[in-house]
Amino acid sequence: MKKTYKIDVDCANCANKMEAAAKKTDGVKDATVNFMALKMIVEFEEGREPKAVMQEVLKNCRKVESDCEIFL
């Protein structure tokens, strides 16, 4: 399952860090961050609950970019 989320991030480099952090999160099959559109597209692993996984994605993204925001 794929879902798109609106994000708030300051620069393209920060967006790249967020993408890498999201991809490393357990339950995420793939993730893409589009800085220009301020969107994150997340593909979840089969059988995983998107809401729970996205809470972990947000935690991981804030480790690399403390002021980022993902609107769940």
Side-chain angles (χ1 to χ4, degrees), residues 32-67:
T32 305
V33 173
N34 183 324
F35 172 67
M36 296 301 288
L38 293 177
K39 291 186 179 182
M40 175 186 281
I41 300 168
V42 180
E43 184 176 358
F44 300 95
E45 291 177 353
E46 191 70 33
R48 298 302 301 260
E49 174 58 44
K51 196 169 194 171
V53 172
M54 286 307 295
Q55 293 295 327
E56 292 303 311
V57 168
L58 182 58
K59 285 181 193 174
N60 289 341
C61 286
R62 285 193 173 151
K63 288 178 186 174
V64 296
E65 187 55 38
S66 61
D67 65 346

